[in-house]
């Protein structure tokens, strides 16, 4: 039996479906890849802008990653919205445990112009 490729997206949400976790999972599906996700931030946004952002606690991001890594094969992964340096540090720590192909999509500003990353994290 052929093994299905598995990909992980680590990013924020977009309830309108045009970006973030939702868009990544749709892309994975179109490419016949089993998609998994770790949510970094829950974003209230639509086509006109970002109304609010709630960042997931760092420990929960770590636990999401550990859950996926301990159970599923991981062939590739992609990061998107990583809002602050604390998130970056825990994600880098966890990524050191895998040799999967890695694509970085540094999401810093929404299409509407709203910032999605802390200013001090932009140079991390």
């Amino acid at each position: 039996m052929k093994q299905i490729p598995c990909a992980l997206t680590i990013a924020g949400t977009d309830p309108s479906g045009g970006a973030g976790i939702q868009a990544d999972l749709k892309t994975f599906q179109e490419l016949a890849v089993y998609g998994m996700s770790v949510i970094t931030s829950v974003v209230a946004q639509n086509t006109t802008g970002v109304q609010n952002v709630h960042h997931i606690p760092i420990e929960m991001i770590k636990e999401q990653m550990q859950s996926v890594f301990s159970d599923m094969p991981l062939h590739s992964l992609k990061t998107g919205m990583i809002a602050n340096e604390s998130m970056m540090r825990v994600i880098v720590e966890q990524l050191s445990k895998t040799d999967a192909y890695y694509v970085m999509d540094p999401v810093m500003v929404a299409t509407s112009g709203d910032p999605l990353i802390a200013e001090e994290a932009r140079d991390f």
Side-chain angles (χ1 to χ4, degrees), residues 64-91:
Q64 290 179 82
M65 293 181 73
Q66 290 173 335
S67 290
V68 171
F69 289 0
S70 70
D71 185 47
M72 301 292 294
L74 183 61
H75 303 103
S76 60
L77 63 99
K78 174 193 177 292
T79 55
M81 179 186 173
I82 304 174
N84 58 51
E85 195 172 324
S86 296
M87 284 182 190
M88 293 174 188
R89 289 186 187 285
V90 75
I91 291 167

Side-chain angles (χ1 to χ4, degrees), residues 10-13 21 38-43 53-65 77 79-96 102 104 107 116-118 120-122 124:
I10 303 170
T13 65
I21 293 284
V38 168
I39 297 175
T40 59
S41 302
V42 177
V43 183
V53 179
H54 172 76
H55 301 307
I56 302 300
I58 302 304
E59 190 61 29
M60 185 60 177
I61 293 170
K62 181 178 180 179
E63 289 174 4
Q64 290 179 82
M65 293 181 73
L77 63 99
T79 55
M81 179 186 173
I82 304 174
N84 58 51
E85 195 172 324
S86 296
M87 284 182 190
M88 293 174 188
R89 289 186 187 285
V90 75
I91 291 167
V92 165
E93 172 191 308
Q94 295 304 305
L95 291 183
S96 69
Y102 175 46
M104 181 189 300
V107 177
L116 295 173
I117 185 171
E120 63 274 4
R122 293 177 188 178
F124 180 74

